[in-house]
Amino acid sequence: QVQLVESGGGLVQAGGSLRLSCSTSRGTFSRYAVGWFRQVPGNEREFVAAFSWSGGNTAYADSVKGRFTISSDNAKNAVLLQMNSLQPEDTAFYYCAAREGVGLRAMRWYAYWGQGTQVTVSS
């Protein structure tokens, strides 16, 4: 099992950048896929990006493709989400999640979730 801890959220102006980090305080990511999801109050949680630690595969939502990059930090056993060209519509609570297995996009298969971190983009 893993216990997830997110960091890196905050307030940024439109066009700016933030980097989120997801690390585990227990266990390692070696056999997991790690994903980022986001949620706005009143809306469903949606897939943002995911990374397969064992295969190195990545997946992105169309809305963030070309602006966000997900990667691993092997030294820190963490998964990073670099978010560039942020827009007000990216404002949401961002959650890190982990799952065993190979699928990346389907939220229902993610068994482990962090507490989340707020990202706010001002116009």
Side-chain angles (χ1 to χ4, degrees):
Q1 291 188 347
V2 290
Q3 190 164 357
L4 306 179
V5 180
E6 302 104 330
S7 63
L11 173 65
V12 66
Q13 289 188 331
S17 299
L18 283 174
R19 188 176 71 176
L20 304 182
S21 176
C22 176
S23 59
T24 173
S25 60
R26 184 176 67 197
T28 67
F29 284 139
S30 60
R31 67 177 192 274
Y32 289 88
V34 179
W36 286 96
F37 297 80
R38 65 188 182 186
Q39 188 170 22
V40 176
N43 290 2
E44 292 186 355
R45 195 170 297 187
E46 66 176 10
F47 170 77
V48 176
F51 172 82
S52 171
W53 199 273
S54 60
N57 299 324
T58 59
Y60 296 92
D62 287 344
S63 59
V64 306
K65 201 173 295 184
R67 300 187 298 124
F68 291 10
T69 302
I70 191 168
S71 63
S72 64
D73 183 336
N74 294 337
K76 296 182 179 180
N77 195 33
V79 173
L80 309 177
L81 184 67
Q82 179 66 41
M83 305 185 294
N84 297 330
S85 301
L86 283 162
Q87 300 301 317
E89 52 265 34
D90 295 314
T91 296
F93 211 71
Y94 283 70
Y95 295 91
C96 172
R99 62 153 297 179
E100 297 179 83
V102 297
L104 296 179
R105 295 178 182 270
M107 185 171 58
R108 66 184 181 275
W109 298 115
Y110 283 82
Y112 307 99
W113 291 83
Q115 295 299 307
T117 185
Q118 177 69 39
V119 171
T120 303
V121 185
S122 63
S123 58

